[in-house]
Amino acid sequence: MIMRSRILPGLFLCLVLPFYTMDNSQIAESFSLLSQLMDIHGENSFRSKSYAAAAFAIKKMPIPLSRLSDDEMSRQKGIGNSTAQKIREILNTGTLASLEDLLKRTPPGVVEMLHIKGIGPKKINMIWREMGIENPGELLYACRENRLKLYKGFGEKTQQNVIDSILFYFKNKEWHLYAQVEIAEPLITGFLKKTFPTSKIFLTGAFTRQMEIIKELEYVIAETPEYIRNIFSATEGFTENASDGDFLYYKNTAGINIKLYPTDEISLEKKRIETSCSVEFLTQLQTTSEYEKADFKNEESFFSSLGLPIIPLPLRELAETPAWVKTKGIPNLITTNDIRGIIHCHSNWSDGEPSLEEMVIAAKNLGVEYLVLSDHSRAAFYANGLSIERVKEQHTCIDELNRRFAPFRIFKSIESDILNDGQLDYPDEILANFDMVIASVHSNLKMPVEKAMKRLLTAIQNPFTTILGHLTGRLLLTREGYPLNLEEIIDACLENQVTIELNANPNRLDIDWRHIRHALNKGVKISINPDAHYVESFTDIKYGVLVAQKAGLTREENLSSMTLDEFENFLSRRKAEKAI
């Protein structure tokens, strides 16, 4: 079975094949891993680069490869006859023989080192071959003994960066993005129901609470621990680990771990309700005098016996929520149906895949009323950022599209880099031509808090900044955000009428939902934006909505929920008040 990263666990693909068809991203992942392993083994660099190029091309391909004939496949850009044959092998068997061969010849710990940021395949080759290090733990030890910097290409700064990356990797090793778990969950649930066909099984835990990262999928099951153990002992791919009297924990090296709460029929509802809550939330409920007498017949009777309305699953996270609900009631949580416009997306004018017209058609098909085009600014040269001349050309194109697609509206925006001194990326006379500006940090992310604060506060105070994009610059499970005093940032956004983006890309989900409520209490608007580089990514808005629900966000508090008239009035009013 092809080794997968965190897209879809290999074990569960085994369980559903041949009913599951590999998608483009998983095929691309196989070619990317093949290229990396070839570099680790010092094999033909030309072939390695061709596989890396194929992986890049496949990821950007709008048509599923499974729908193409071999001849059609080989004619796609970046794919020749040889690569097309390998793609067909993956589609037919779920495996790639050349990749399997390399995996067999590579210690698992060496493959694992590919997750360590800052060391690529060629450096891993040196670490493995010359230093005799075969896993991240050994590498961390060597770094702490100052041995890595003795080798060519590794200075003291690189060594410290590797230490930081390994520690970050270890901390997040068994965690997965919500969007990745969402793909695997139906397969795992189906596997359990097939394995325990006569047992009552219910999904519970962090996934049902819509947490942005998930460590394991949790289930309540009406069975005895002994029976479950007997079944799993005969099931390949699972190892029982860290179980206790309340649950059974099964690790799965091929994918997502499983936590099972065995119970009897009488206690089933009680266990479902309690495991649907975070430890902090449940502990807070248990401190009340009513809890001992709580009625666990169902959710309504349970919360009612505590003097509360039914608290929705995404809100069962924070200890302060019960008191907040008693004071304010349950908010009318935002849904994807409340999104009326797509704000923050990139076209092929910068680093996006679709043309302007393709984006407009896709947005109209989703039923929204407007689209805010926000290609990269000129400092983002790596993303084909727009020069001043190209900004003018793009605005001419947008004018033409607005005439053709009226009453649908395309707004002229830019995702302006926040430069090192906090200034935006164009002079004021150019910024004035945009309907709105999203200001974001993309470079020099390793900043002390003083530098980060000065840089962001300067950008927030710029009258042209409408939205502060992906606030901390974090990438979930990949990169920590830069340090900020978020209360001061939120206060500055309020004072300067700046909206804070909730970047809905499932790798970001930035601003963190835990800070949204503070922003809302201050009166700062949030804007759920997809930061889409493909038309398919428009639907990433869903992931922003899911975490926004955890913060109690309503339609009225979200910028992208405004109707076209409301949004036009918002922008006009803001420009008038800012005299821009």
Side-chain angles (χ1 to χ4, degrees), residues 85 119 178 244 286 362 368 378 400 411 445 462 492 505 528:
Q85 288 173 11
I119 53 169
Y178 178 94
D244 71 7
Q286 290 171 335
V368 298
R378 58 185 177 176
E400 171 60 25
F411 289 90
L445 302 179
N462 190 309
N505 184 307
I528 301 175

Side-chain angles (χ1 to χ4, degrees), residues 157-432:
K157 186 176 180 182
T158 302
Q159 181 174 263
Q160 185 56 51
N161 288 340
V162 170
I163 290 173
D164 293 342
S165 294
I166 293 172
L167 292 175
F168 185 84
Y169 168 68
F170 281 157
K171 185 176 82 171
N172 297 293
K173 187 176 178 181
E174 293 186 331
W175 292 82
H176 309 265
L177 300 178
Y178 178 94
Q180 295 162 337
V181 178
E182 182 184 43
I183 298 171
E185 179 274 317
L187 305 179
I188 297 173
T189 301
F191 159 72
L192 288 174
K193 288 185 174 180
K194 183 179 178 181
T195 305
F196 300 93
T198 62
S199 309
K200 290 182 179 178
I201 301 174
F202 299 98
L203 183 64
T204 187
F207 182 76
T208 62
R209 296 197 305 275
Q210 302 166 194
M211 286 293 285
E212 67 272 32
I213 55 174
I214 310 290
K215 190 173 186 182
E216 64 267 322
L217 278 168
E218 301 170 69
Y219 296 86
V220 173
I221 177 170
E223 277 299 348
T224 65
E226 294 74 22
Y227 180 73
I228 295 170
R229 282 193 172 102
N230 287 338
I231 294 294
F232 269 92
S233 65
T235 304
E236 186 180 349
F238 291 100
T239 305
E240 188 176 344
N241 181 272
S243 299
D244 71 7
D246 290 328
F247 62 83
L248 299 175
Y249 199 88
Y250 287 94
K251 292 179 74 69
N252 164 26
T253 55
I256 297 165
N257 299 330
I258 299 175
K259 195 173 190 177
L260 299 171
Y261 298 95
T263 186
D264 54 36
E265 294 274 355
I266 296 172
S267 304
L268 184 63
E269 282 303 314
K270 183 174 189 291
K271 185 63 75 174
R272 283 183 71 183
I273 291 168
E274 289 183 337
T275 57
S276 74
C277 307
S278 73
V279 172
E280 295 78 10
F281 182 91
L282 182 61
T283 301
Q284 181 60 37
L285 293 181
Q286 290 171 335
T287 62
T288 63
S289 58
E290 296 90 350
Y291 191 84
E292 289 185 11
K293 302 174 185 177
D295 180 1
F296 284 93
K297 182 173 63 178
N298 53 47
E299 287 193 336
E300 184 178 6
S301 62
F302 168 71
F303 283 108
S304 178
S305 61
L306 300 182
L308 292 164
I310 296 177
I311 296 179
L313 284 164
L315 292 176
R316 299 179 196 177
E317 202 70 54
L318 303 177
E320 60 263 31
T321 297
W324 180 68
V325 167
K326 278 190 175 180
T327 303
K328 296 193 173 184
I330 301 293
N332 188 16
L333 298 179
I334 190 168
T335 70
T336 53
N337 291 333
D338 293 321
I339 304 299
R340 305 298 291 273
I342 292 176
I343 300 175
H344 192 171
C345 50
H346 299 268
S347 73
N348 60 6
W349 281 72
S350 64
D351 62 343
E353 185 269 338
S355 68
L356 293 183
E357 183 169 347
E358 287 170 336
M359 294 177 77
V360 172
I361 292 169
K364 281 173 61 66
N365 289 340
L366 284 176
V368 298
E369 300 177 51
Y370 56 92
L371 180 144
V372 178
L373 179 66
S374 311
D375 275 314
H376 284 285
S377 65
R378 58 185 177 176
F381 60 89
Y382 52 86
N384 194 28
L386 273 61
S387 65
I388 290 175
E389 292 73 20
R390 293 181 69 223
V391 166
K392 294 174 181 176
E393 291 171 14
Q394 187 182 77
H395 286 186
T396 300
C397 290
I398 291 173
D399 288 339
E400 171 60 25
L401 287 171
N402 274 325
R403 283 190 289 271
R404 286 176 53 199
F405 288 96
F408 187 89
R409 173 82 186 272
I410 308 109
F411 289 90
K412 300 167 183 172
S413 179
I414 197 79
E415 186 180 17
S416 171
D417 268 34
I418 298 174
L419 306 178
N420 284 335
D421 60 0
Q423 298 301 314
L424 301 186
D425 198 12
Y426 298 109
D428 288 357
E429 60 268 24
I430 301 301
L431 293 171

Side-chain angles (χ1 to χ4, degrees), residues 34-51:
L34 178 61
S35 171
Q36 291 172 313
L37 290 177
M38 289 179 70
D39 285 340
I40 287 175
H41 284 270
E43 296 192 1
N44 187 300
S45 61
F46 176 80
R47 286 176 59 212
S48 167
K49 287 176 183 175
S50 71
Y51 291 140

Side-chain angles (χ1 to χ4, degrees), residues 63-131:
I63 306 167
L65 287 166
S66 57
R67 296 183 190 171
L68 302 180
S69 67
D70 290 355
D71 186 51
E72 290 170 327
M73 210 182 286
S74 63
R75 290 202 303 268
Q76 300 298 313
K77 185 178 179 182
I79 298 176
N81 289 330
S82 175
T83 302
Q85 288 173 11
K86 282 183 162 42
I87 293 170
R88 182 59 59 193
E89 181 185 351
I90 294 172
L91 288 171
N92 288 343
T93 69
T95 65
L96 184 57
S98 53
L99 177 55
E100 296 296 326
D101 176 62
L102 282 170
L103 285 169
K104 286 175 185 175
R105 293 192 280 124
T106 314
V110 172
V111 180
E112 194 178 6
M113 281 194 273
L114 288 167
H115 293 287
I116 309 303
K117 192 176 178 183
I119 53 169
K122 292 181 180 176
K123 284 188 175 179
I124 292 173
N125 174 286
M126 181 186 297
I127 290 166
W128 178 25
R129 301 296 191 187
E130 296 187 27
M131 300 178 67

